[in-house]
Amino acid sequence: METLEDFRQRSRAWLAGNMRRLPPDAEPWNAMRVDEGDAERAKALQRKLFQAGFAGLCFPKEYGGRGLPRVYQKAFTEESRPYEMPLLFNTPTLTIIAPTILDMGTEAQKRRHLPAMIRGDELWVQFMSEPSGGSDLAGVITSARFDGDNYLLNGSKIWSSYAYFSDYAICLARTDWDAVKHQGLTMFIVKIHQPGVTVNRIRQSDGNVEFCQEFFDDVPLAPEDVIGKVNDGWTVGQRLLFHERSATGGSSPYASGTAGRRIETIDDLVNLARAAGRLDDPRIRELLAEVYVLQTVQGQATDRIVAGIAAEALPATSGAMLRLFTGLNGLRRSDIALEIASSDAVAWDAGESDGATGKSYIFRQAWCLGGGSTEMQRNIISERVLGMPREPAADRGMPFKDVRRNAPGKEA
Amino acid sequence: MQPIRRAGGALDFDLTEEQQLFADTSRRFLADECDLSTIRKLAETDAGFTADWWRRAAGLGWISLLVDEDAGGLGLGDEGILYLGLVAEEMGRMVSPGPLLPCSLVAATLSRSGSDEQRSEALPALVSGEATASWCFAEGGNSWSADSVAMQAERVPVGYRLHGDKWPVEAAAEARHLLVTARCDGQLTQFLVPADTAGVAIEPLEGLDLVRRFARVRFDGVEVDESTVVGAPGGAADDVERQLQIGLAVSCAESAGAVARVFEFTLEWAFERYSFGRPLASYQALKHRFADMKTYLEGCHATASAALHAIAASSADSACLARVAKAFIGDFAPEIVQECVQMHGGIGVTWDHDIHLYLRRVTTNRAILGAPREHRLAIADLLKL
């Protein structure tokens, strides 16, 4: 195998010769503001990485990856920092869905979809949460009824990012209403753009449009598109949630380029302070350093927990701590940005600002909601890292069709 | 259901065999010779530790970790700080007494920059534990930075005259030597001053920690000769920064160990304590707080470990990472322990319960070597904001 240092040098040279260097004042990549044009651009860049052998570094070679240890991906990501990267492919396609299919999919599914994701042909989304509830994921009521040939999908999913311009979705649906909650679920592969699927876009509280809601009307799903076993979708869902925690907590080995929302520098906050003429104010300097401290420790905690899980010194569920840490740090960062921007965050000249600081603050709690609420992470940490008793559930051991659901009129 | 064993975790998961052995030996020594009931007895003494016990502690190699082989040390090089971090972590877990940090810092600097005479006379007694030493750096309040050093070393015919007060100075009352940081012609200069030199007055302070003592050391026109200078006159800036970095990282390792231990016995308590017929550990309102504590405890471990490793690797960012660790742990260590006091209920605020010993230690560590706010301001400067 090529040494890490050689690989790093080769990456650096290739990036310099082939990728677009971002201008120093480039807006940080914002997952919240992505459209079809960005999707096309990301596909082209992902293809470019693939052709040069820099895509899917930690995926097995037989499925289009390079089979390298995670330190190679880390090195490539570090080297790629100054360049435009196809960040849109990271989450959920490469960090959540691809590893779930790798873990749980059939050989045919892996051969069909993994190389297509890695070479930039397929963008994926998750059809998991429903309007009827997000945290109680196993309580999904979207149904897939077998008609002898296919499963017919009916119901609705929500909070899927970018569904309107993506290609495929991984979808959790109920296939047995007589079974108890967790045992009547099946995970499917769904082609998004087909008759019977309606995709609506959701406008967020900050005015941006990232998420979608989908409606299904007798959408036929073939038996070969079942991931894992029929009625064992919860097992697949657990793997998916594991990879989601890794991705949102920043510990996924499959992210290429700076994962998710770009928070590893405080440059944007420093620019904000400079623009407000407050960079010499010790109070502001202290706040900037506080963000730096929290982010640095977040990175250190990520390294520690990833290593601890690998060494089996920590349980695999420990990724939930990173998700919690990230969420809480996000809140603090948002508060500090608001403090630095002061009145500029609430009233601004149209020509000089887009009001991003104030708008981000309005959307602040998304830090603690997206990718599983921090309350769910706290349940996981207390119950499955610390071994504390599980929360009582009123639906345990009961056929799902008899489980009480949202009050009439409060379904969504 | 049982709480997961050693749920507080450790600073590093991947110790070498030598490091593991060393940590085990230190842990056994502390458990056998200095349990918490012993510490409560030591609290009634002036020094907070006994000379004989300290000699045996030093016999385990604790003060030789940052000392070169030719000066009687273990010759571990920069890696020695990882071992020192392990001792500090164990001392934190046991809220142990003993001037580990001041002796280590003085020993490290003598080994690195001391004269032949200092290395052959003062250093061996430190390494063997026969004598202790301390570092006179801060001048009250929040003056834990090189820029804050105001004490003047005036040139006089016999050498230098030192004038000024230093406090708080750890374990100064027992120290045979004092490493004094002062300014000579505006430049940082360090002196190794015998504590019994004429004009040196040591006034014990009262303090929060039950066994860690501090003093104010007054230098009233103390005259010292050229041989007391450590390194080059006016050239101590590197040594001072290194002492600070080592001190910050080791203090953080100790606080992380203390919090880990508190978290462990608080978690056990949550499983054993019942109210309304169910254990505290079954209440979601409390489970979520344990989850937050565990998460921030992992952060404490991660950042203390990163600071130690950065120093061990002579990494360019060790200055920043040592201060990141202190800023983070300074904020979170006392907060987690206070939260654990809350989990204990009324018993948590009694003298008989051990938790206040830990709260005293981490609160002391928060202030000594600089409070979080000072480190955040230093970080802003280091980042050239």
Side-chain angles (χ1 to χ4, degrees), chain A residues 29 73 76-78 80-83 85 87 90 255-265:
Chain A
W29 188 73
Q73 182 61 65
F76 186 74
T77 291
E78 283 163 11
S80 73
R81 192 155 297 175
Y83 301 96
M85 290 281 288
L87 297 178
N90 280 340
S256 185
T258 49
R261 281 172 259 194
R262 207 176 77 165
I263 61 149
E264 74 286 353
T265 77

mmCIF file with all atom_site columns, all heavy atoms in Angstrom, chain A residues 29 73 76-78 80-83 85 87 90 255-265:
data_model
loop_
_atom_site.group_PDB
_atom_site.id
_atom_site.type_symbol
_atom_site.label_atom_id
_atom_site.label_alt_id
_atom_site.label_comp_id
_atom_site.label_asym_id
_atom_site.label_entity_id
_atom_site.label_seq_id
_atom_site.pdbx_PDB_ins_code
_atom_site.Cartn_x
_atom_site.Cartn_y
_atom_site.Cartn_z
_atom_site.occupancy
_atom_site.B_iso_or_equiv
_atom_site.pdbx_formal_charge
_atom_site.auth_seq_id
_atom_site.auth_comp_id
_atom_site.auth_asym_id
_atom_site.auth_atom_id
_atom_site.pdbx_PDB_model_num
ATOM 1   N N   . TRP A 1 29  ? -19.830 26.421 2.977  1.00 0.00 ? 29  TRP A N   1
ATOM 2   C CA  . TRP A 1 29  ? -20.843 25.567 2.356  1.00 0.00 ? 29  TRP A CA  1
ATOM 3   C C   . TRP A 1 29  ? -21.996 25.390 3.303  1.00 0.00 ? 29  TRP A C   1
ATOM 4   O O   . TRP A 1 29  ? -21.815 25.134 4.493  1.00 0.00 ? 29  TRP A O   1
ATOM 5   C CB  . TRP A 1 29  ? -20.241 24.212 2.004  1.00 0.00 ? 29  TRP A CB  1
ATOM 6   C CG  . TRP A 1 29  ? -21.200 23.402 1.201  1.00 0.00 ? 29  TRP A CG  1
ATOM 7   C CD1 . TRP A 1 29  ? -21.540 23.599 -0.098 1.00 0.00 ? 29  TRP A CD1 1
ATOM 8   C CD2 . TRP A 1 29  ? -21.962 22.267 1.644  1.00 0.00 ? 29  TRP A CD2 1
ATOM 9   N NE1 . TRP A 1 29  ? -22.464 22.658 -0.501 1.00 0.00 ? 29  TRP A NE1 1
ATOM 10  C CE2 . TRP A 1 29  ? -22.739 21.834 0.553  1.00 0.00 ? 29  TRP A CE2 1
ATOM 11  C CE3 . TRP A 1 29  ? -22.067 21.586 2.845  1.00 0.00 ? 29  TRP A CE3 1
ATOM 12  C CZ2 . TRP A 1 29  ? -23.594 20.746 0.619  1.00 0.00 ? 29  TRP A CZ2 1
ATOM 13  C CZ3 . TRP A 1 29  ? -22.934 20.496 2.928  1.00 0.00 ? 29  TRP A CZ3 1
ATOM 14  C CH2 . TRP A 1 29  ? -23.681 20.083 1.824  1.00 0.00 ? 29  TRP A CH2 1
ATOM 15  N N   . GLN A 1 73  ? -8.486  8.769  4.286  1.00 0.00 ? 73  GLN A N   1
ATOM 16  C CA  . GLN A 1 73  ? -9.589  9.691  4.026  1.00 0.00 ? 73  GLN A CA  1
ATOM 17  C C   . GLN A 1 73  ? -9.378  10.986 4.807  1.00 0.00 ? 73  GLN A C   1
ATOM 18  O O   . GLN A 1 73  ? -9.623  12.075 4.294  1.00 0.00 ? 73  GLN A O   1
ATOM 19  C CB  . GLN A 1 73  ? -10.924 9.048  4.421  1.00 0.00 ? 73  GLN A CB  1
ATOM 20  C CG  . GLN A 1 73  ? -12.125 9.932  4.140  1.00 0.00 ? 73  GLN A CG  1
ATOM 21  C CD  . GLN A 1 73  ? -12.267 10.270 2.663  1.00 0.00 ? 73  GLN A CD  1
ATOM 22  O OE1 . GLN A 1 73  ? -12.506 9.400  1.831  1.00 0.00 ? 73  GLN A OE1 1
ATOM 23  N NE2 . GLN A 1 73  ? -12.079 11.534 2.317  1.00 0.00 ? 73  GLN A NE2 1
ATOM 24  N N   . PHE A 1 76  ? -6.863  13.040 3.016  1.00 0.00 ? 76  PHE A N   1
ATOM 25  C CA  . PHE A 1 76  ? -7.405  13.634 1.793  1.00 0.00 ? 76  PHE A CA  1
ATOM 26  C C   . PHE A 1 76  ? -8.328  14.800 2.131  1.00 0.00 ? 76  PHE A C   1
ATOM 27  O O   . PHE A 1 76  ? -8.282  15.853 1.487  1.00 0.00 ? 76  PHE A O   1
ATOM 28  C CB  . PHE A 1 76  ? -8.152  12.579 0.963  1.00 0.00 ? 76  PHE A CB  1
ATOM 29  C CG  . PHE A 1 76  ? -8.598  13.107 -0.374 1.00 0.00 ? 76  PHE A CG  1
ATOM 30  C CD1 . PHE A 1 76  ? -7.679  13.306 -1.399 1.00 0.00 ? 76  PHE A CD1 1
ATOM 31  C CD2 . PHE A 1 76  ? -9.922  13.441 -0.587 1.00 0.00 ? 76  PHE A CD2 1
ATOM 32  C CE1 . PHE A 1 76  ? -8.086  13.820 -2.625 1.00 0.00 ? 76  PHE A CE1 1
ATOM 33  C CE2 . PHE A 1 76  ? -10.337 13.959 -1.807 1.00 0.00 ? 76  PHE A CE2 1
ATOM 34  C CZ  . PHE A 1 76  ? -9.410  14.146 -2.830 1.00 0.00 ? 76  PHE A CZ  1
ATOM 35  N N   . THR A 1 77  ? -9.141  14.589 3.149  1.00 0.00 ? 77  THR A N   1
ATOM 36  C CA  . THR A 1 77  ? -10.050 15.669 3.569  1.00 0.00 ? 77  THR A CA  1
ATOM 37  C C   . THR A 1 77  ? -9.267  16.903 4.007  1.00 0.00 ? 77  THR A C   1
ATOM 38  O O   . THR A 1 77  ? -9.615  18.033 3.660  1.00 0.00 ? 77  THR A O   1
ATOM 39  C CB  . THR A 1 77  ? -10.973 15.162 4.693  1.00 0.00 ? 77  THR A CB  1
ATOM 40  O OG1 . THR A 1 77  ? -11.858 14.203 4.143  1.00 0.00 ? 77  THR A OG1 1
ATOM 41  C CG2 . THR A 1 77  ? -11.789 16.292 5.302  1.00 0.00 ? 77  THR A CG2 1
ATOM 42  N N   . GLU A 1 78  ? -8.199  16.679 4.757  1.00 0.00 ? 78  GLU A N   1
ATOM 43  C CA  . GLU A 1 78  ? -7.385  17.822 5.197  1.00 0.00 ? 78  GLU A CA  1
ATOM 44  C C   . GLU A 1 78  ? -6.794  18.564 4.004  1.00 0.00 ? 78  GLU A C   1
ATOM 45  O O   . GLU A 1 78  ? -6.840  19.791 3.929  1.00 0.00 ? 78  GLU A O   1
ATOM 46  C CB  . GLU A 1 78  ? -6.261  17.346 6.128  1.00 0.00 ? 78  GLU A CB  1
ATOM 47  C CG  . GLU A 1 78  ? -6.739  17.043 7.535  1.00 0.00 ? 78  GLU A CG  1
ATOM 48  C CD  . GLU A 1 78  ? -5.766  16.197 8.350  1.00 0.00 ? 78  GLU A CD  1
ATOM 49  O OE1 . GLU A 1 78  ? -4.602  16.007 7.895  1.00 0.00 ? 78  GLU A OE1 1
ATOM 50  O OE2 . GLU A 1 78  ? -6.164  15.713 9.411  1.00 0.00 ? 78  GLU A OE2 1
ATOM 51  N N   . SER A 1 80  ? -7.969  18.614 1.054  1.00 0.00 ? 80  SER A N   1
ATOM 52  C CA  . SER A 1 80  ? -9.006  19.157 0.157  1.00 0.00 ? 80  SER A CA  1
ATOM 53  C C   . SER A 1 80  ? -9.642  20.434 0.699  1.00 0.00 ? 80  SER A C   1
ATOM 54  O O   . SER A 1 80  ? -10.453 21.056 0.019  1.00 0.00 ? 80  SER A O   1
ATOM 55  C CB  . SER A 1 80  ? -10.107 18.117 -0.052 1.00 0.00 ? 80  SER A CB  1
ATOM 56  O OG  . SER A 1 80  ? -10.892 17.990 1.112  1.00 0.00 ? 80  SER A OG  1
ATOM 57  N N   . ARG A 1 81  ? -9.257  20.815 1.901  1.00 0.00 ? 81  ARG A N   1
ATOM 58  C CA  . ARG A 1 81  ? -9.937  21.941 2.556  1.00 0.00 ? 81  ARG A CA  1
ATOM 59  C C   . ARG A 1 81  ? -10.021 23.210 1.702  1.00 0.00 ? 81  ARG A C   1
ATOM 60  O O   . ARG A 1 81  ? -11.073 23.844 1.674  1.00 0.00 ? 81  ARG A O   1
ATOM 61  C CB  . ARG A 1 81  ? -9.253  22.226 3.899  1.00 0.00 ? 81  ARG A CB  1
ATOM 62  C CG  . ARG A 1 81  ? -10.020 23.154 4.776  1.00 0.00 ? 81  ARG A CG  1
ATOM 63  C CD  . ARG A 1 81  ? -9.694  22.958 6.231  1.00 0.00 ? 81  ARG A CD  1
ATOM 64  N NE  . ARG A 1 81  ? -10.082 21.629 6.677  1.00 0.00 ? 81  ARG A NE  1
ATOM 65  C CZ  . ARG A 1 81  ? -9.826  21.163 7.896  1.00 0.00 ? 81  ARG A CZ  1
ATOM 66  N NH1 . ARG A 1 81  ? -9.177  21.898 8.748  1.00 0.00 ? 81  ARG A NH1 1
ATOM 67  N NH2 . ARG A 1 81  ? -10.214 19.956 8.236  1.00 0.00 ? 81  ARG A NH2 1
ATOM 68  N N   . PRO A 1 82  ? -8.963  23.595 0.993  1.00 0.00 ? 82  PRO A N   1
ATOM 69  C CA  . PRO A 1 82  ? -9.076  24.859 0.229  1.00 0.00 ? 82  PRO A CA  1
ATOM 70  C C   . PRO A 1 82  ? -9.898  24.737 -1.056 1.00 0.00 ? 82  PRO A C   1
ATOM 71  O O   . PRO A 1 82  ? -10.061 25.724 -1.762 1.00 0.00 ? 82  PRO A O   1
ATOM 72  C CB  . PRO A 1 82  ? -7.616  25.190 -0.138 1.00 0.00 ? 82  PRO A CB  1
ATOM 73  C CG  . PRO A 1 82  ? -6.751  24.218 0.586  1.00 0.00 ? 82  PRO A CG  1
ATOM 74  C CD  . PRO A 1 82  ? -7.603  23.044 0.922  1.00 0.00 ? 82  PRO A CD  1
ATOM 75  N N   . TYR A 1 83  ? -10.392 23.552 -1.373 1.00 0.00 ? 83  TYR A N   1
ATOM 76  C CA  . TYR A 1 83  ? -11.002 23.347 -2.693 1.00 0.00 ? 83  TYR A CA  1
ATOM 77  C C   . TYR A 1 83  ? -12.502 23.109 -2.606 1.00 0.00 ? 83  TYR A C   1
ATOM 78  O O   . TYR A 1 83  ? -13.040 22.680 -1.580 1.00 0.00 ? 83  TYR A O   1
ATOM 79  C CB  . TYR A 1 83  ? -10.345 22.146 -3.395 1.00 0.00 ? 83  TYR A CB  1
ATOM 80  C CG  . TYR A 1 83  ? -8.865  22.338 -3.567 1.00 0.00 ? 83  TYR A CG  1
ATOM 81  C CD1 . TYR A 1 83  ? -7.962  21.797 -2.654 1.00 0.00 ? 83  TYR A CD1 1
ATOM 82  C CD2 . TYR A 1 83  ? -8.362  23.108 -4.623 1.00 0.00 ? 83  TYR A CD2 1
ATOM 83  C CE1 . TYR A 1 83  ? -6.594  21.998 -2.792 1.00 0.00 ? 83  TYR A CE1 1
ATOM 84  C CE2 . TYR A 1 83  ? -7.006  23.320 -4.773 1.00 0.00 ? 83  TYR A CE2 1
ATOM 85  C CZ  . TYR A 1 83  ? -6.123  22.766 -3.849 1.00 0.00 ? 83  TYR A CZ  1
ATOM 86  O OH  . TYR A 1 83  ? -4.785  22.980 -3.987 1.00 0.00 ? 83  TYR A OH  1
ATOM 87  N N   . MET A 1 85  ? -15.508 20.963 -3.059 1.00 0.00 ? 85  MET A N   1
ATOM 88  C CA  . MET A 1 85  ? -15.682 19.505 -3.021 1.00 0.00 ? 85  MET A CA  1
ATOM 89  C C   . MET A 1 85  ? -17.165 19.156 -3.147 1.00 0.00 ? 85  MET A C   1
ATOM 90  O O   . MET A 1 85  ? -18.029 19.967 -2.803 1.00 0.00 ? 85  MET A O   1
ATOM 91  C CB  . MET A 1 85  ? -15.139 18.956 -1.690 1.00 0.00 ? 85  MET A CB  1
ATOM 92  C CG  . MET A 1 85  ? -13.622 19.018 -1.564 1.00 0.00 ? 85  MET A CG  1
ATOM 93  S SD  . MET A 1 85  ? -12.832 17.673 -2.472 1.00 0.00 ? 85  MET A SD  1
ATOM 94  C CE  . MET A 1 85  ? -13.257 16.276 -1.418 1.00 0.00 ? 85  MET A CE  1
ATOM 95  N N   . LEU A 1 87  ? -19.561 18.148 -1.502 1.00 0.00 ? 87  LEU A N   1
ATOM 96  C CA  . LEU A 1 87  ? -19.984 17.873 -0.127 1.00 0.00 ? 87  LEU A CA  1
ATOM 97  C C   . LEU A 1 87  ? -21.406 17.311 -0.057 1.00 0.00 ? 87  LEU A C   1
ATOM 98  O O   . LEU A 1 87  ? -21.756 16.603 0.871  1.00 0.00 ? 87  LEU A O   1
ATOM 99  C CB  . LEU A 1 87  ? -19.883 19.154 0.714  1.00 0.00 ? 87  LEU A CB  1
ATOM 100 C CG  . LEU A 1 87  ? -18.465 19.722 0.852  1.00 0.00 ? 87  LEU A CG  1
ATOM 101 C CD1 . LEU A 1 87  ? -18.481 21.007 1.665  1.00 0.00 ? 87  LEU A CD1 1
ATOM 102 C CD2 . LEU A 1 87  ? -17.531 18.719 1.500  1.00 0.00 ? 87  LEU A CD2 1
ATOM 103 N N   . ASN A 1 90  ? -21.833 13.659 0.694  1.00 0.00 ? 90  ASN A N   1
ATOM 104 C CA  . ASN A 1 90  ? -21.467 13.058 1.977  1.00 0.00 ? 90  ASN A CA  1
ATOM 105 C C   . ASN A 1 90  ? -22.671 12.529 2.742  1.00 0.00 ? 90  ASN A C   1
ATOM 106 O O   . ASN A 1 90  ? -22.741 11.346 3.061  1.00 0.00 ? 90  ASN A O   1
ATOM 107 C CB  . ASN A 1 90  ? -20.721 14.078 2.838  1.00 0.00 ? 90  ASN A CB  1
ATOM 108 C CG  . ASN A 1 90  ? -19.264 14.185 2.421  1.00 0.00 ? 90  ASN A CG  1
ATOM 109 O OD1 . ASN A 1 90  ? -18.741 13.278 1.776  1.00 0.00 ? 90  ASN A OD1 1
ATOM 110 N ND2 . ASN A 1 90  ? -18.631 15.279 2.776  1.00 0.00 ? 90  ASN A ND2 1
ATOM 111 N N   . ALA A 1 255 ? -17.007 10.218 4.903  1.00 0.00 ? 255 ALA A N   1
ATOM 112 C CA  . ALA A 1 255 ? -17.183 11.605 4.473  1.00 0.00 ? 255 ALA A CA  1
ATOM 113 C C   . ALA A 1 255 ? -15.917 12.046 3.750  1.00 0.00 ? 255 ALA A C   1
ATOM 114 O O   . ALA A 1 255 ? -14.814 11.749 4.182  1.00 0.00 ? 255 ALA A O   1
ATOM 115 C CB  . ALA A 1 255 ? -17.446 12.497 5.677  1.00 0.00 ? 255 ALA A CB  1
ATOM 116 N N   . SER A 1 256 ? -16.098 12.743 2.650  1.00 0.00 ? 256 SER A N   1
ATOM 117 C CA  . SER A 1 256 ? -14.936 13.243 1.914  1.00 0.00 ? 256 SER A CA  1
ATOM 118 C C   . SER A 1 256 ? -15.053 14.759 1.830  1.00 0.00 ? 256 SER A C   1
ATOM 119 O O   . SER A 1 256 ? -16.085 15.284 1.449  1.00 0.00 ? 256 SER A O   1
ATOM 120 C CB  . SER A 1 256 ? -14.902 12.639 0.509  1.00 0.00 ? 256 SER A CB  1
ATOM 121 O OG  . SER A 1 256 ? -13.714 13.033 -0.135 1.00 0.00 ? 256 SER A OG  1
ATOM 122 N N   . GLY A 1 257 ? -14.011 15.437 2.193  1.00 0.00 ? 257 GLY A N   1
ATOM 123 C CA  . GLY A 1 257 ? -14.138 16.880 2.345  1.00 0.00 ? 257 GLY A CA  1
ATOM 124 C C   . GLY A 1 257 ? -14.703 17.140 3.724  1.00 0.00 ? 257 GLY A C   1
ATOM 125 O O   . GLY A 1 257 ? -15.033 16.217 4.463  1.00 0.00 ? 257 GLY A O   1
ATOM 126 N N   . THR A 1 258 ? -14.813 18.392 4.077  1.00 0.00 ? 258 THR A N   1
ATOM 127 C CA  . THR A 1 258 ? -15.278 18.697 5.424  1.00 0.00 ? 258 THR A CA  1
ATOM 128 C C   . THR A 1 258 ? -16.742 18.340 5.548  1.00 0.00 ? 258 THR A C   1
ATOM 129 O O   . THR A 1 258 ? -17.580 18.866 4.835  1.00 0.00 ? 258 THR A O   1
ATOM 130 C CB  . THR A 1 258 ? -15.067 20.175 5.743  1.00 0.00 ? 258 THR A CB  1
ATOM 131 O OG1 . THR A 1 258 ? -15.595 20.911 4.656  1.00 0.00 ? 258 THR A OG1 1
ATOM 132 C CG2 . THR A 1 258 ? -13.596 20.479 5.866  1.00 0.00 ? 258 THR A CG2 1
ATOM 133 N N   . ALA A 1 259 ? -17.018 17.456 6.483  1.00 0.00 ? 259 ALA A N   1
ATOM 134 C CA  . ALA A 1 259 ? -18.340 16.832 6.556  1.00 0.00 ? 259 ALA A CA  1
ATOM 135 C C   . ALA A 1 259 ? -19.398 17.800 7.040  1.00 0.00 ? 259 ALA A C   1
ATOM 136 O O   . ALA A 1 259 ? -19.162 18.615 7.909  1.00 0.00 ? 259 ALA A O   1
ATOM 137 C CB  . ALA A 1 259 ? -18.278 15.644 7.499  1.00 0.00 ? 259 ALA A CB  1
ATOM 138 N N   . GLY A 1 260 ? -20.574 17.666 6.464  1.00 0.00 ? 260 GLY A N   1
ATOM 139 C CA  . GLY A 1 260 ? -21.719 18.392 6.964  1.00 0.00 ? 260 GLY A CA  1
ATOM 140 C C   . GLY A 1 260 ? -21.527 19.888 6.948  1.00 0.00 ? 260 GLY A C   1
ATOM 141 O O   . GLY A 1 260 ? -20.817 20.434 6.116  1.00 0.00 ? 260 GLY A O   1
ATOM 142 N N   . ARG A 1 261 ? -22.135 20.544 7.885  1.00 0.00 ? 261 ARG A N   1
ATOM 143 C CA  . ARG A 1 261 ? -21.982 21.984 7.987  1.00 0.00 ? 261 ARG A CA  1
ATOM 144 C C   . ARG A 1 261 ? -20.548 22.302 8.357  1.00 0.00 ? 261 ARG A C   1
ATOM 145 O O   . ARG A 1 261 ? -19.959 21.655 9.218  1.00 0.00 ? 261 ARG A O   1
ATOM 146 C CB  . ARG A 1 261 ? -22.945 22.524 9.039  1.00 0.00 ? 261 ARG A CB  1
ATOM 147 C CG  . ARG A 1 261 ? -24.347 22.643 8.486  1.00 0.00 ? 261 ARG A CG  1
ATOM 148 C CD  . ARG A 1 261 ? -25.325 22.986 9.563  1.00 0.00 ? 261 ARG A CD  1
ATOM 149 N NE  . ARG A 1 261 ? -26.028 21.764 9.967  1.00 0.00 ? 261 ARG A NE  1
ATOM 150 C CZ  . ARG A 1 261 ? -27.131 21.783 10.697 1.00 0.00 ? 261 ARG A CZ  1
ATOM 151 N NH1 . ARG A 1 261 ? -27.622 22.907 11.109 1.00 0.00 ? 261 ARG A NH1 1
ATOM 152 N NH2 . ARG A 1 261 ? -27.726 20.666 11.019 1.00 0.00 ? 261 ARG A NH2 1
ATOM 153 N N   . ARG A 1 262 ? -20.000 23.302 7.736  1.00 0.00 ? 262 ARG A N   1
ATOM 154 C CA  . ARG A 1 262 ? -18.580 23.563 7.944  1.00 0.00 ? 262 ARG A CA  1
ATOM 155 C C   . ARG A 1 262 ? -18.388 24.379 9.213  1.00 0.00 ? 262 ARG A C   1
ATOM 156 O O   . ARG A 1 262 ? -18.703 25.557 9.251  1.00 0.00 ? 262 ARG A O   1
ATOM 157 C CB  . ARG A 1 262 ? -18.013 24.313 6.737  1.00 0.00 ? 262 ARG A CB  1
ATOM 158 C CG  . ARG A 1 262 ? -16.540 24.043 6.556  1.00 0.00 ? 262 ARG A CG  1
ATOM 159 C CD  . ARG A 1 262 ? -16.057 24.711 5.307  1.00 0.00 ? 262 ARG A CD  1
ATOM 160 N NE  . ARG A 1 262 ? -15.887 26.141 5.519  1.00 0.00 ? 262 ARG A NE  1
ATOM 161 C CZ  . ARG A 1 262 ? -15.212 26.920 4.691  1.00 0.00 ? 262 ARG A CZ  1
ATOM 162 N NH1 . ARG A 1 262 ? -14.661 26.421 3.608  1.00 0.00 ? 262 ARG A NH1 1
ATOM 163 N NH2 . ARG A 1 262 ? -15.080 28.205 4.935  1.00 0.00 ? 262 ARG A NH2 1
ATOM 164 N N   . ILE A 1 263 ? -17.892 23.745 10.249 1.00 0.00 ? 263 ILE A N   1
ATOM 165 C CA  . ILE A 1 263 ? -17.743 24.485 11.495 1.00 0.00 ? 263 ILE A CA  1
ATOM 166 C C   . ILE A 1 263 ? -16.335 24.387 12.049 1.00 0.00 ? 263 ILE A C   1
ATOM 167 O O   . ILE A 1 263 ? -16.086 24.782 13.162 1.00 0.00 ? 263 ILE A O   1
ATOM 168 C CB  . ILE A 1 263 ? -18.723 23.981 12.569 1.00 0.00 ? 263 ILE A CB  1
ATOM 169 C CG1 . ILE A 1 263 ? -18.453 22.509 12.873 1.00 0.00 ? 263 ILE A CG1 1
ATOM 170 C CG2 . ILE A 1 263 ? -20.157 24.194 12.177 1.00 0.00 ? 263 ILE A CG2 1
ATOM 171 C CD1 . ILE A 1 263 ? -18.771 22.180 14.305 1.00 0.00 ? 263 ILE A CD1 1
ATOM 172 N N   . GLU A 1 264 ? -15.410 23.824 11.289 1.00 0.00 ? 264 GLU A N   1
ATOM 173 C CA  . GLU A 1 264 ? -14.108 23.584 11.901 1.00 0.00 ? 264 GLU A CA  1
ATOM 174 C C   . GLU A 1 264 ? -13.212 24.816 11.940 1.00 0.00 ? 264 GLU A C   1
ATOM 175 O O   . GLU A 1 264 ? -12.145 24.782 12.488 1.00 0.00 ? 264 GLU A O   1
ATOM 176 C CB  . GLU A 1 264 ? -13.379 22.409 11.218 1.00 0.00 ? 264 GLU A CB  1
ATOM 177 C CG  . GLU A 1 264 ? -12.819 22.715 9.873  1.00 0.00 ? 264 GLU A CG  1
ATOM 178 C CD  . GLU A 1 264 ? -13.913 22.789 8.851  1.00 0.00 ? 264 GLU A CD  1
ATOM 179 O OE1 . GLU A 1 264 ? -15.079 22.472 9.167  1.00 0.00 ? 264 GLU A OE1 1
ATOM 180 O OE2 . GLU A 1 264 ? -13.611 23.172 7.715  1.00 0.00 ? 264 GLU A OE2 1
ATOM 181 N N   . THR A 1 265 ? -13.672 25.901 11.348 1.00 0.00 ? 265 THR A N   1
ATOM 182 C CA  . THR A 1 265 ? -12.906 27.124 11.516 1.00 0.00 ? 265 THR A CA  1
ATOM 183 C C   . THR A 1 265 ? -13.816 28.166 12.162 1.00 0.00 ? 265 THR A C   1
ATOM 184 O O   . THR A 1 265 ? -15.037 28.045 12.144 1.00 0.00 ? 265 THR A O   1
ATOM 185 C CB  . THR A 1 265 ? -12.408 27.691 10.171 1.00 0.00 ? 265 THR A CB  1
ATOM 186 O OG1 . THR A 1 265 ? -13.509 28.324 9.537  1.00 0.00 ? 265 THR A OG1 1
ATOM 187 C CG2 . THR A 1 265 ? -11.835 26.629 9.286  1.00 0.00 ? 265 THR A CG2 1
#
